[in-house]
């Protein structure tokens, strides 16, 4: 192409053309560039026509050919860019509309087991290798299972309607106040076969109910896990070893346990078991209220009357039982300050507890 007859600004415009064209992101930009180079008025092409008109006659032929070649080149390049952009637009539109039935659908947000369920599952997992299986009992219980079979005297305050939900139409029916009635049910069921089985061993998780006002540490419904072992020659040492093992499995190998004498009518002797505070390691913190120890459960050796009531010979058989409050442990481990968070099922709380993903 013979550009030497054209003024330098046209030469420069041609030099810039490829860069300008490359920079055109859409068809509008291409049209604007086309206007600037080839448009009727004020464009480089229009300027070239003026230059041609003003040129001496003998130069016109050569100059005209150069101008035409230049215009053709611009035009071709503009067209090519235009088609490329049109093709890109078609592809994008096709993509936006396309729906591939062979692809897996987007997954809805996935739920997960509730943090309390997970803690119960962990406890079950700790005791299962020790031979404990899972038992369940009804939440609507009889007085016989909830109190009588557990050696709880007629005048015991826990029997009062101030603490216990009784059914209006069934005065001997109530919402169980602890998971201990499962002891009574399982012992009665297994009494005829206890000899063959060589004993009884189970864990009983579930809901329990007490007439408590709702506040950050109380709820009329909460969870317990009951544990029981009956065998020959079972003593306090078995209980202590088992619970120490379980609490270390739960809180880590540095956990320590402390047994304090206490009273429950269905065990003798009875005790309350503390764990060294898993958060401060015993130094004292907000969770253990400076004590360095936290109460984890109630326990003891099964009272002979409980065995007798179920039809088991208490001279041959003895055992231990324990019961722990799940929310208390869950609150402690997760440092959750308010018990109600476990029941409101706010997705943000569950997600923070690792319950959702
Ligand atoms: N049932 C008792 C309670 O709810 C706990 C317990 C269970 C104590 C088994 C001793 C033995 O507080």
């Amino acid at each position: 192409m013979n550009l030497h007859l054209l003024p330098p600004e046209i030469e420069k415009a041609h030099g810039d053309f490829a860069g300008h064209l490359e920079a055109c992101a859409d068809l509008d930009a291409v049209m604007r560039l086309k206007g600037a180079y080839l448009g009727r008025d004020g464009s480089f092409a229009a300027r070239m026509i003026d230059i041609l008109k003003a040129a001496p006659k003998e130069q016109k032929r050569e100059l005209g050919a150069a101008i035409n070649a230049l215009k053709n080149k611009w035009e071709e390049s503009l067209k090519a860019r235009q088609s490329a952009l049109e093709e890109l637009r078609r592809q994008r539109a096709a993509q936006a509309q396309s729906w591939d039935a062979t692809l897996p659908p987007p997954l809805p947000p996935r739920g997960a087991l509730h943090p309390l369920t997970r803690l119960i599952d962990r406890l079950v997992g700790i005791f299962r290798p020790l031979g404990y299986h899972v038992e369940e009992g009804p939440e609507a219980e009889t007085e016989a299972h909830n109190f009588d079979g557990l050696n709880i005297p007629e005048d015991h305050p826990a029997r009062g309607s101030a603490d216990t939900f009784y059914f209006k139409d069934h005065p001997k029916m109530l919402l169980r106040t602890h998971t201990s009635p499962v002891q009574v049910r399982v012992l009665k069921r297994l009494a005829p076969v206890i000899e063959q089985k060589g004993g009884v061993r189970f864990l009983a998780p579930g809901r329990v109910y007490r007439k408590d006002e709702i506040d950050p540490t109380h709820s009329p419904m909460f969870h317990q896990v009951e544990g029981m072992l009956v065998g020959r020659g079972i003593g306090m040492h078995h209980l202590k070893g088992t619970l120490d093992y379980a609490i270390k499995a739960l809180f880590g190998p540095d956990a320590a346990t402390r047994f304090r004498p206490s009273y429950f009518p269905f065990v003798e002797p009875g005790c309350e078991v503390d764990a060294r505070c898993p958060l401060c390691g015993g130094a004292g913190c907000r969770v253990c209220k400076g004590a360095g120890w936290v109460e984890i459960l109630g326990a003891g050796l099964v009272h002979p009357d409980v065995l007798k009531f179920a039809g088991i010979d208490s001279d041959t058989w003895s055992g231990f039982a324990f019961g722990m409050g799940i929310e208390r442990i869950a609150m402690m481990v997760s440092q959750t300050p308010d018990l109600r968070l476990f029941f409101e099922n706010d997705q943000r709380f569950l997600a923070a507890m690792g319950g959702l993903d």
Side-chain angles (χ1 to χ4, degrees), residues 177-180 183 210 224 226-227 264 266-267 298-300 321-323:
T177 59
H178 50 179
T179 43
S180 299
Q183 291 185 28
R210 289 179 197 176
Q224 287 188 333
E226 192 84 6
F264 303 93
F266 36 97
V267 285
F322 57 88

Side-chain angles (χ1 to χ4, degrees), residues 121-287:
D121 286 353
R122 264 188 77 200
L123 285 163
V124 170
I126 289 168
F127 280 92
R128 207 190 289 280
L130 305 182
Y132 291 68
H133 68 275
V134 173
E135 292 278 357
E136 270 183 72
E139 291 168 29
E141 257 300 3
T142 61
E143 239 181 333
H145 290 116
N146 197 80
F147 295 129
D148 303 343
L150 289 166
N151 198 34
I152 297 175
E154 286 290 339
D155 57 357
H156 194 280
R159 287 189 184 243
S161 60
D163 292 325
T164 302
F165 292 105
Y166 285 89
F167 286 83
K168 243 201 202 134
D169 305 329
H170 301 274
K172 297 231 166 278
M173 292 283 291
L174 44 80
L175 291 177
R176 67 179 177 189
T177 59
H178 50 179
T179 43
S180 299
V182 184
Q183 291 185 28
V184 181
R185 289 179 172 273
V186 174
L187 288 180
K188 281 208 286 194
R189 193 184 79 223
L190 296 181
V193 292
I194 193 165
E195 197 73 44
Q196 292 99 299
K197 289 197 171 286
V200 175
R201 226 183 283 205
F202 69 89
L203 226 53
R207 291 191 189 95
V208 301
Y209 300 84
R210 289 179 197 176
K211 276 194 187 169
D212 276 323
E213 292 301 324
I214 302 176
D215 71 24
T217 53
H218 293 88
S219 159
M221 186 282 292
F222 56 100
H223 295 75
Q224 287 188 333
V225 170
E226 192 84 6
M228 182 178 225
L229 180 144
V230 175
R232 286 189 169 88
I234 299 301
M236 207 61 189
H237 49 312
H238 296 111
L239 173 64
K240 289 187 74 172
T242 302
L243 290 180
D244 194 66
Y245 168 83
I247 286 167
K248 282 190 165 68
L250 193 62
F251 294 142
D254 294 336
T257 46
R258 183 170 84 171
F259 290 69
R260 284 180 290 108
S262 186
Y263 176 73
F264 303 93
F266 36 97
V267 285
E268 182 55 36
C271 57
E272 272 167 333
V273 183
D274 301 336
R276 187 179 285 146
C277 179
L279 292 175
C280 64
C285 67
R286 202 172 43 81
V287 169

